[in-house]
Amino acid sequence: KKPIVSHKGIEDFLEEAAGLLRTPRLTKTDTLLFGIDLGTATIVITAVSAVGRPVYWDSVPCEAVRDGVVVNFAGAVAAVRHLKLAAAVALGCEISSAATAFPPGVPSAEARACRYVLENAEIACRGLTDEVSAAQALLNIRDGAIVDVGGGSTGVGIVRDGELVALDDEPGGGHHLDLILAGALKIPIEDAERRKRDGDADYSAILRPGLERIASSIARQIANRTVKTVHLVGGAIRIPNAGSIISHFISIPTITYPHSDLVTPFGIAMS
């Protein structure tokens, strides 16, 4: 049985999860479920308890995956092995199986490569799902749109009565924002990515054109469907005021979450 977190508890879940970076919180009786998010900028491992509490997470920078396609298989496997060993030490248990995910627009043959990354790191792949469905596993929304702004693409899922009824994905996401910020501040793109994710400074004026481009992609994917609320997740939209800029552009109320970059990784563990 998959754990379910009440909508009211999502923000508390994410606040608690954020404090568990390489610092687990578990009891000896916890049965753990693991997820591995093969992202464009980072690879993340997460663990949740069977009752849906966050337990642990860790991440490493890795560019072995681009737009959901594994472009450096050995690099991706090495990163997952590293995270697996660190988690085993921190948690005092072996990570024998985990779920993983892929952007909605990735062809099935490419998506299977995500499974092979886990298997080559000696982790059984217990589930392979798209990233929007993974986010929904945590958010558990009733009606609306889930928008997962990843490094290379933006995925949109339409939810009706708790079920995902439409799913789409377009190129363009956080990497484009990194390019804009790096150019404006004349800094390396890696520094731009870090500053964007930290969310300590308000770069929304500089990044408004990029955010509006993402908003335009969201509007195209929603098309003529009736959507009363958009739920934004992903590390790319941790920028202050990102939600209000996107909401104003698409003219739909938009909900953002604290530590939105953790929604999909923990959702994968819960899938």
Side-chain angles (χ1 to χ4, degrees):
K1 184 180 178 181
K2 294 174 182 175
I4 294 176
V5 179
S6 69
H7 185 75
K8 184 180 178 183
I10 297 298
E11 290 196 3
D12 290 342
F13 179 101
L14 293 169
E15 291 287 4
E16 182 178 356
L20 300 177
L21 174 62
R22 304 186 186 103
T23 309
R25 182 177 301 154
L26 76 163
T27 67
K28 290 183 179 180
T29 59
D30 278 337
T31 299
L32 301 181
L33 300 171
F34 293 94
I36 294 177
D37 185 5
L38 303 172
T40 300
T42 58
I43 293 181
V44 184
I45 187 169
T46 57
V48 298
S49 70
V51 294
R53 294 293 301 274
V55 171
Y56 173 87
W57 70 282
D58 192 5
S59 72
V60 291
C62 185
E63 297 182 355
V65 180
R66 188 172 302 142
D67 303 343
V69 177
V70 180
V71 294
N72 179 350
F73 191 83
V77 170
V80 172
R81 280 185 183 274
H82 170 81
L83 290 169
K84 170 190 171 182
L85 291 173
V89 171
L91 295 165
C93 66
E94 291 300 313
I95 292 79
S96 57
S97 68
T100 190
F102 55 91
V106 172
S108 57
E110 297 288 355
R112 283 196 294 273
C114 298
R115 175 189 297 272
Y116 301 148
V117 168
L118 266 63
E119 291 174 348
N120 275 266
E122 299 180 346
I123 300 174
C125 183
R126 63 172 175 81
L128 180 63
T129 187
D130 69 88
E131 291 170 352
V132 173
S133 295
Q136 169 64 351
L138 174 58
L139 297 180
N140 195 32
I141 71 168
R142 193 75 193 145
D143 293 283
I146 296 175
V147 175
D148 186 358
V149 185
S153 65
T154 297
V156 176
I158 309 297
V159 180
R160 296 273 185 272
D161 295 323
E163 297 293 328
L164 200 62
V165 297
L167 189 61
D168 205 350
D169 186 77
E170 284 192 3
H175 184 65
H176 180 65
L177 299 178
D178 294 343
L179 292 173
I180 294 173
L181 192 58
L185 301 181
K186 296 181 172 54
I187 59 175
I189 194 165
E190 296 81 9
D191 290 349
E193 162 73 13
R194 179 182 52 76
R195 290 194 190 194
K196 182 194 70 183
R197 279 183 173 267
D198 286 349
D200 294 335
D202 186 356
Y203 296 114
S204 57
I206 297 172
L207 295 174
R208 178 179 285 272
L211 289 167
E212 289 183 342
R213 177 176 168 177
I214 290 170
S216 179
S217 170
I218 294 168
R220 278 194 303 274
Q221 293 182 69
I222 291 175
N224 58 356
R225 301 180 183 94
T226 300
V227 171
K228 294 182 178 179
T229 311
V230 165
H231 298 255
L232 282 176
V233 304
I237 47 85
R238 287 193 61 181
I239 305 146
N241 302 312
S244 59
I245 291 171
I246 290 172
S247 180
H248 182 264
F249 190 94
I250 63 177
S251 299
I252 300 173
T254 299
I255 295 173
T256 58
Y257 296 88
H259 313 290
S260 58
D261 54 325
L262 296 180
V263 173
T264 298
F266 273 96
I268 292 171
M270 299 175 78
S271 297

